[in-house]
Amino acid sequence: MNVLTLQWHEASITRTQQIYEQQYSKNPGTCRIGRDPLRCDIVLTHPTVSGLHIEIFFDSQQQRFYIRNLREPNPPQIDGKPLIKGEISLSEGSIIYLGQQQLQVTAISVDSIPATIIVQPPLQSVHNHHKQSIPTQPNPVYALECPKCHKMSPPENLQIGCPWCGTSLAAAVSVLLAPSH
């Protein structure tokens, strides 16, 4: 699982937020940060932060998290350097300033693409009254294994979460329910 951890102080409270490669977002594939709760996934209250300031995303080809400036007149500073246009990769320990609001990348975990787990369901049979039972091979079916309760959910539940415990399925393992041999 690819995850970046951000930490910042707001109203004398230390806040921490993890950003996952494929988490639910208002702009799929990115995590947007700014003051506007309608457009941002992480909402900051400092008045020097733009309504829609930056987005953080994972580049699967480069296997790195990147930050992209969304507000040229108020560019973020990453490790003391302004990011006027485009994007730059983030590292563990990177310091980000959005206006006067400081955020720090406290951890980055990048794994290689996990293998799909294959679960062998029990063999099903079709009963024919004139012959012996004939084993059948059902079509393979994909499921998402909840990271909390480990129950299987259909891929359609990715955006709504686990129906049993309510946990986000953004970090779920993709499981192939394959026919048994």
Side-chain angles (χ1 to χ4, degrees):
M1 168 175 29
N2 302 313
V3 60
L4 177 142
T5 305
L6 277 181
Q7 189 174 68
W8 67 96
H9 299 285
E10 193 171 47
S12 302
I13 298 171
T14 299
R15 302 200 186 272
T16 302
Q17 179 75 45
Q18 291 187 318
I19 299 172
Y20 295 93
E21 174 183 5
Q22 293 294 326
Q23 74 181 26
Y24 175 78
S25 173
K26 293 178 180 176
N27 186 52
T30 71
C31 177
R32 290 189 161 181
I33 302 173
R35 280 186 299 113
D36 185 350
L38 296 176
R39 298 185 294 166
C40 296
D41 303 297
I42 297 176
V43 178
L44 303 174
T45 60
H46 198 282
T48 60
V49 175
S50 296
L52 179 59
H53 210 126
I54 62 166
E55 60 187 9
I56 295 175
F57 63 96
F58 185 78
D59 184 316
S60 56
Q61 289 183 332
Q62 298 294 322
Q63 291 289 296
R64 295 186 63 96
F65 280 93
Y66 284 82
I67 183 171
R68 180 179 293 134
N69 180 16
L70 299 175
R71 188 76 181 135
E72 271 185 56
N74 188 12
Q77 290 207 5
I78 295 83
D79 298 323
K81 298 175 188 153
L83 177 62
I84 305 299
K85 285 188 177 188
E87 56 213 32
I88 189 169
S89 66
L90 292 169
S91 304
E92 198 166 303
S94 285
I95 303 291
I96 302 165
Y97 274 95
L98 304 181
Q100 295 174 355
Q101 176 70 62
Q102 177 184 311
L103 300 94
Q104 182 173 8
V105 178
T106 57
I108 295 178
S109 174
V110 176
D111 299 330
S112 58
I113 298 172
T116 298
I117 297 173
I118 299 178
V119 178
Q120 299 290 337
L123 186 65
Q124 296 177 351
S125 297
V126 173
H127 295 285
N128 185 321
H129 295 292
H130 302 292
K131 299 180 182 178
Q132 292 180 334
S133 293
I134 303 167
T136 61
Q137 298 290 329
N139 290 334
V141 175
Y142 281 94
L144 298 171
E145 181 180 2
C146 175
K148 184 174 181 184
C149 72
H150 302 286
K151 292 187 178 180
M152 303 297 171
S153 294
E156 298 79 33
N157 286 3
L158 178 62
Q159 300 298 325
I160 58 172
C162 177
W164 290 277
C165 70
T167 300
S168 168
L169 294 174
V173 174
S174 177
V175 176
L176 177 61
L177 300 175
S180 49
H181 297 277

